[in-house]
Amino acid sequence: RSVSFDAGIYYKFKAIGINELEISYFNINTTDRIVWTPVSGSIWQPVNIGKVSSEGIDLSLRSDFTLCERLSSSSSINYTYSNALKKNSDFAGEPTYGKQLIYLPKEMVKGSIMMNYLTTSKLLKYVSFSLFYNFSTRRYTNFENTQFVPRYDVLDGNIAAGFKFSGFETGLRFIVNNILNEDYTVLPGYPMPLRNYKIESNLKYQ
C-alpha cells in the first residue's frame, strides 16, 4: 500500500536552439514494501521490509539545434536524485533503519549528443554521430549499507550512414560500447562487458 505525490514544471524556450526543461518532484510512502533479495548464489526471494519513504527530484534538459541547412544536432541531459529509506524498525537500534534500499543508487546522470548531416548525394542519404553517457553512484547490496557496488561512468558511441539505391534503403551503424573500458557491475556477481564493438545493418525495399 502506498500514498504518493508528485509535481513538475515544464518550460520550453528558444536560446540558440529549441530547449525543453523539465523539473519534477516525487514523494512516496509505502507500507509492506516487497524487495527481491539474493539469498545464496543465484537464488533470490521476496522480503517484506515494512515501511519505506521515497522522495527525489528529476531534472532534464533537451536541446535541438539547426547548425545549417543540412546539419542538425540534439543533446539531452537527465539528473535523478532519489532517497528510498527503510522506515520500519523491528527492534530498538536496528541497523537497517533509515538506510537506503538495496540496488537503488541515490544519483544517476544520463546524457547524449547527436549530430546528423543530410547529404546531397543520390547514393548517400545521411551521416550521423552519437555519444551516450551514463553515471551512477554506488548501489548498496545489504540493508545495513555496509557493502556496495562502486559507482561507474560509461560512455557509448556510434557512427551511422544511410544509403538509397534502386528502390532499396539501407543503413549501416558502427557501435562502440563502454568506450572508456570501464570495469563495472550493476549487480554483484554480474560483471558488465568491457569495451565491445558491434556492426548493425538494415535493408528496406519500397
Side-chain angles (χ1 to χ4, degrees), residues 3-181:
V3 177
S4 63
F5 167 81
D6 62 84
I9 298 174
Y10 171 83
Y11 180 57
K12 187 174 182 179
F13 61 98
K14 288 186 178 181
I16 302 178
I18 299 175
N19 306 278
E20 297 175 276
L21 176 66
E22 189 168 2
I23 305 172
S24 59
Y25 167 82
F26 67 88
N27 186 295
I28 307 171
N29 290 289
T30 307
T31 303
D32 294 329
R33 173 74 176 261
I34 304 298
V35 175
W36 281 88
T37 308
V39 180
S40 62
S42 60
I43 300 176
W44 292 59
Q45 72 177 19
V47 176
N48 188 329
I49 60 173
K51 296 179 180 179
V52 173
S53 175
S54 305
E55 67 173 348
I57 59 170
D58 189 84
L59 174 64
S60 64
L61 174 65
R62 176 181 171 83
S63 302
D64 294 302
F65 308 94
T66 300
L67 305 176
C68 64
E69 183 181 357
R70 294 184 173 274
L71 181 62
S72 61
S73 174
S74 65
S75 63
S76 66
I77 185 166
N78 179 268
Y79 170 79
T80 301
Y81 176 84
S82 176
N83 258 335
L85 305 180
K86 184 176 182 291
K87 293 296 185 178
N88 189 72
S89 182
D90 296 325
F91 56 88
E94 184 179 357
T96 64
Y97 180 81
K99 299 299 176 63
Q100 181 82 355
L101 294 194
I102 59 175
Y103 308 127
L104 296 179
K106 285 192 174 183
E107 295 179 271
M108 290 189 297
V109 177
K110 293 183 178 181
S112 68
I113 182 168
M114 293 169 275
M115 299 188 71
N116 189 68
Y117 178 69
L118 300 176
T119 73
T120 57
S121 170
K122 292 183 179 180
L123 176 64
L124 180 63
K125 292 178 60 181
Y126 68 86
V127 177
S128 67
F129 169 77
S130 303
L131 276 177
F132 304 93
Y133 171 74
N134 284 278
F135 164 79
S136 174
T137 55
R138 63 177 59 176
R139 300 167 189 251
Y140 293 106
T141 58
N142 64 346
F143 289 106
E144 293 82 8
N145 289 181
T146 58
Q147 301 173 7
F148 58 87
V149 172
R151 52 159 282 174
Y152 61 82
D153 301 83
V154 177
L155 186 67
D156 303 323
N158 66 70
I159 299 175
F163 304 88
K164 186 174 183 179
F165 56 93
S166 302
F168 289 93
E169 290 187 11
T170 182
L172 187 65
R173 187 184 306 271
F174 177 67
I175 301 169
V176 184
N177 294 316
N178 197 358
I179 295 173
L180 302 178
N181 210 32

